[in-house]
Amino acid sequence: MNLEQYNSWVFDLDGTLTEPVHDFEHIRRELGIPPEEDILSAIAQTAMPERRTMLERLDELERHYAALAQPAEGALELLEYLFSANCRLGILTRNTKELALVSLDSIGAAQYFASEFVLGRDESSPKPSPEGIKILLNQWGRVSESAVMVGDFEFDLISGKQAGTITVHVDKADRHWPEVTDYRFSTLSEIIGLLE
């Protein structure tokens, strides 16, 4: 991959730039959401005022996990490499922007991301929607052919594919979504080898 061509990088946050700490089954239990059901979709289908209560509790739970965030293997090295190469860097997360900024600070990566390039569930439609990637590319004045979406889950990869970007799946677990994955790595540090 040539960095002159692929100079726009969008990252998922939890489980991609951070080590996985979210216990999604615990979150579902706390919110009364059935196992395996998408949390944000379930909340969106709930009537007010219960929806507001669920969102407030979700924020509390996510704040707890954001404070525990640790950088994923190779995260800081890759971000420094891309930042030094003058690439545009953005975050697209299903969390709130506020908590994404807390996580970035917790892992020592806040300096790589301008606040306006950190998009949470209130700034764009949540992944798998490609809207957030399109917003970032528009802000940067870049086209999808210059962009890479990096994530650890199917929704990240679908959003990248639908936006027309290269998709990179980073995951130590044995999960595969080949139809929406261009490259697959176990760690972020392996990506540097692709670029050098």
Side-chain angles (χ1 to χ4, degrees):
M1 290 179 71
N2 183 332
L3 275 183
E4 290 184 6
Q5 178 180 358
Y6 298 108
N7 55 18
S8 310
W9 290 70
V10 182
F11 290 89
D12 169 57
L13 184 54
D14 299 316
T16 299
L17 290 180
T18 71
E19 290 293 339
V21 293
H22 283 67
D23 183 343
F24 293 109
E25 290 311 311
H26 173 249
I27 292 172
R28 287 184 181 93
R29 284 193 305 273
E30 285 287 312
L31 299 174
I33 296 172
E36 303 304 318
E37 192 168 329
D38 180 62
I39 294 168
L40 293 181
S41 296
I43 292 173
Q45 294 169 12
T46 305
M48 291 293 193
E50 186 181 356
R51 183 191 313 164
R52 186 178 301 112
T53 302
M54 291 174 78
L55 284 170
E56 288 171 358
R57 181 62 180 138
L58 179 61
D59 283 349
E60 290 172 5
L61 292 164
E62 288 181 338
R63 185 174 305 281
H64 165 74
Y65 289 117
L68 299 176
Q70 295 294 317
E73 182 181 341
L76 299 180
E77 295 82 357
L78 176 61
L79 292 174
E80 177 61 32
Y81 184 91
L82 295 172
F83 187 79
S84 297
N86 296 314
C87 292
R88 291 290 197 167
L89 302 177
I91 295 288
L92 184 58
T93 178
R94 288 166 58 95
N95 288 344
T96 64
K97 176 175 183 160
E98 176 192 2
L99 294 180
L101 293 171
V102 170
S103 289
L104 287 170
D105 194 50
S106 293
I107 68 171
Q111 70 272 22
Y112 299 116
F113 298 94
S115 176
E116 62 268 28
F117 302 148
V118 177
L119 304 183
R121 60 177 173 253
D122 298 322
E123 287 72 41
S124 74
S125 299
K127 295 172 290 186
S129 167
E131 181 185 13
I133 297 173
K134 292 178 179 180
I135 289 171
L136 289 169
L137 291 174
N138 186 56
Q139 287 177 317
W140 297 335
R142 303 271 171 88
V143 295
S144 60
E145 290 79 10
S146 74
V148 180
M149 176 68 208
V150 183
D152 71 319
F153 188 63
E154 184 180 22
F155 286 178
D156 306 315
L157 305 168
I158 291 172
S159 67
K161 273 296 170 201
Q162 290 184 350
T165 74
I166 291 291
T167 57
V168 176
H169 180 203
V170 179
D171 195 352
K172 291 180 181 178
D174 191 28
R175 303 183 302 173
H176 300 276
W177 298 283
E179 64 282 358
V180 288
T181 302
D182 292 311
Y183 296 94
R184 187 177 188 284
F185 300 102
S186 295
T187 67
L188 291 167
S189 55
E190 294 173 30
I191 297 174
I192 297 176
L194 179 69
L195 300 172
E196 293 180 330

